[in-house]
Amino acid sequence: MTPSWRKPAGMLIILAIIAVWCVAVVSLSGVVGQWHWALQLPFYIVTGIVWIAPLKPLLRWMETGHWR
């Protein structure tokens, strides 16, 4: 059985998604840093979880070759 090219490509896409998401969140830190801590907490919790959403179809594609 030969390895699929989708797994290494998918891993690179996952790393790119993480890098772009980190840059986006960090670029907002100047604004968010001025908020009260009670508002910062849910912001960082949500942004820490939301990046996982696009991974499910990507992981499915890596395994099967289909998006759905």
Side-chain angles (χ1 to χ4, degrees):
M1 194 166 154
T2 59
S4 171
W5 62 270
R6 289 187 310 266
K7 289 191 180 186
M11 287 187 291
L12 291 175
I13 293 169
I14 288 171
L15 291 174
I17 288 170
I18 292 171
V20 168
W21 191 251
C22 288
V23 168
V25 172
V26 168
S27 68
L28 294 173
S29 68
V31 174
V32 176
Q34 297 174 359
W35 296 355
H36 189 268
W37 70 268
L39 294 174
Q40 288 182 34
L41 182 64
F43 172 80
Y44 285 117
I45 289 173
V46 169
T47 57
I49 295 172
V50 167
W51 69 272
I52 299 171
L55 294 186
K56 185 175 181 178
L58 179 60
L59 291 171
R60 188 178 308 122
W61 172 78
M62 288 169 60
E63 289 295 322
T64 65
H66 303 291
W67 290 104
R68 294 180 188 203

